[in-house]
Amino acid sequence: MSTPETSPGKSFVRLGNRRTARLDALPQHGIDVLRAALRGAVNDGWRIVTLFGTPESDSALRIVAIVADDERGQLGAATARVGERYPAIAAECPQAALFECEMAEQCGVVPEGHPSLRSLRRHAPDHRPAAWSPTSPPLDDTLPRTPFRGDEVHEVAVGPVHAGIIEPGHFRFQAHGEEVLSLDISLGYQHRGVESLLETLDGPRAVYVAESIVGDTVIAHANAYCGALEALSRCHKSARAQNIRGIALELERLANHVGDLGAMSGDVAYQPAAAYFGRLRGECLNMLMTISGNRYGRGLVRPGGVAFDITPEMADELRRRTTRLEAELRPVADLFFGAASVQSRLEGVGVVKHDACIEHGFVGPVARAAEVHRDVRHDHPYGVYRYAQIPVATAWAGDVYARALIRWVEIRRSLEFVAEQLATLPRGEVRVPCGAFAAGELVVAIEEGWRGEVVHAVLTDDHGKVRRHKVTDPSFRNWPALAMAMPGNQISDFPLCNKSFNLSYAGHDL
């Protein structure tokens, strides 16, 4: 459990990644104090990790704010009680904008003065305090519009039903000729009630929901979910289980990064690299299948450790395949990054600037491609990453080329990490039992998934039952970055730009 130190400015209780804190130790401010504290923390270099509401027993709503100082590796938590209306935090702190839209939809609360309040998923409130009115002022369910006027300005609408096999999302471009003036994005077509399921299902069933939140991010979400539960139950995993989880997470990162390079190759019609990267993605998935029995890692990560061990024979085979994979990747990567025709299509397209990443709290390769040194494995290390460091890869341009380059650097470093861990697997059990949850506590588990920071925050009630389970996928944070990246580019650049982000619809819609 974390000690109740306060920072910054004595407004937040200090937390650690996967370290619990007593709920009664959290500062409980008025909303004006919390707004000022968040504004001051962000100005001092902190950022909002997650912000959510949970009903109180006296029919009020408690807002819980989790912030992070990545440079010092610290987390902080504070709360405020509000009624059905409160002055919007986003009016002074843009990082809170989407979180407050989410709270308005989930809890029926109205953040007055919010700059762009709208529905994110179009569902009835599921965390409304009991005494509040059964109806609340409806959120704007229409697509946000960025108006441009002129005789030659036209709109192009795409989705939510797409021509290919793709999740539903609606994109509306305003353009002058081929130049994009603005992009408005509307999601929320497949809301599944993930958080409510995690709060009501028992542990053995809930873990299946956790690893199904995003189909290509099974390991990261399962790791964060299990990490939160293990902290609440004071469960200490073996070093071997932690290493196997790390290996699986990096294999998941490898598969998706390699696949993304192949997809970007296809979008610029560079077919040799597209075909080659596509085949090598299958090699990464097959290694994950060797460990877990399936190509996406389902069933591997479980509370208390992992469900399957890596035998010495499996470790030797995986090391040989890792070495072969690295040797096969280098030539095609050299072709891809060395081709002048590829460079001309990637450079300067879809730029997200450094200041925008800081202001809006973007995460993962999107932020690192704009020279934001932000990686949970380095800043808030957990499990095997406390002992085996992976250097943070950054670029400076913030364009499609930079996002592709970040993937290639992370591919090489993940390959090195997997090979090292397979060669030095410690002895021990792979799974230990987890007991009952501690009562009246908060835990925040953050994990560096391949898209960026995955967050699972859990509150327990006085009986040790899950009272609130908040999930924040990196796609939720980064979809606005895609809208910022498109103006000034050609409409024909959208598939390439979109693939360089490769965000999840399901991770946003939950």
Side-chain angles (χ1 to χ4, degrees), residues 203-226:
R205 296 178 63 196
V207 70
Y208 291 106
V209 175
E211 65 183 8
S212 303
I213 292 171
V214 179
D216 55 16
T217 314
V218 172
I219 302 299
H221 271 287
N223 275 351
Y225 170 80
C226 291

Side-chain angles (χ1 to χ4, degrees), residues 89-103:
I89 300 169
E92 299 177 336
C93 183
Q95 290 185 24
L98 283 182
F99 290 116
E100 290 195 297
C101 290
E102 185 180 47
M103 275 196 297

Side-chain angles (χ1 to χ4, degrees), residues 218-269:
V218 172
I219 302 299
H221 271 287
N223 275 351
Y225 170 80
C226 291
L229 269 57
E230 288 154 359
L232 290 168
S233 61
R234 310 297 191 262
C235 174
H236 298 284
K237 303 177 297 297
S238 70
R240 187 176 184 89
Q242 294 176 18
N243 283 35
I244 293 174
R245 284 188 180 182
I247 290 169
L249 182 67
E250 297 309 316
L251 288 176
E252 181 173 80
R253 193 182 319 277
L254 280 166
N256 286 288
H257 280 357
V258 171
D260 282 353
L261 291 181
M264 283 187 270
S265 301
D267 282 338
V268 299

Side-chain angles (χ1 to χ4, degrees), residues 11 23 55 89 110 148 342 382 390 394 398 418 429:
S11 299
L23 285 176
I89 300 169
V110 179
F148 285 89
V342 173
Y382 53 91
I390 297 181
T394 60
V418 169
E429 299 292 330

Side-chain angles (χ1 to χ4, degrees), residues 158-238:
V158 180
V161 179
H162 298 272
I165 301 174
I166 186 174
E167 295 172 295
H170 182 72
F171 303 87
R172 182 162 300 194
F173 302 85
Q174 287 193 302
H176 181 265
E178 286 295 308
E179 182 183 354
V180 175
L181 301 177
S182 71
L183 168 60
D184 297 319
I185 303 173
S186 180
L187 305 173
Y189 293 92
Q190 54 181 0
H191 176 62
R192 297 153 290 160
V194 164
E195 293 178 358
S196 295
L197 288 171
L198 292 175
E199 291 161 4
T200 54
L201 293 176
D202 56 31
R205 296 178 63 196
V207 70
Y208 291 106
V209 175
E211 65 183 8
S212 303
I213 292 171
V214 179
D216 55 16
T217 314
V218 172
I219 302 299
H221 271 287
N223 275 351
Y225 170 80
C226 291
L229 269 57
E230 288 154 359
L232 290 168
S233 61
R234 310 297 191 262
C235 174
H236 298 284
K237 303 177 297 297
S238 70

Side-chain angles (χ1 to χ4, degrees), residues 366-387:
V366 173
R368 293 194 286 275
E371 211 169 13
V372 177
H373 196 280
R374 181 173 294 165
D375 189 318
V376 175
R377 295 170 296 173
H378 176 273
D379 304 330
H380 308 276
Y382 53 91
V384 65
Y385 299 107
R386 292 176 294 171
Y387 314 106

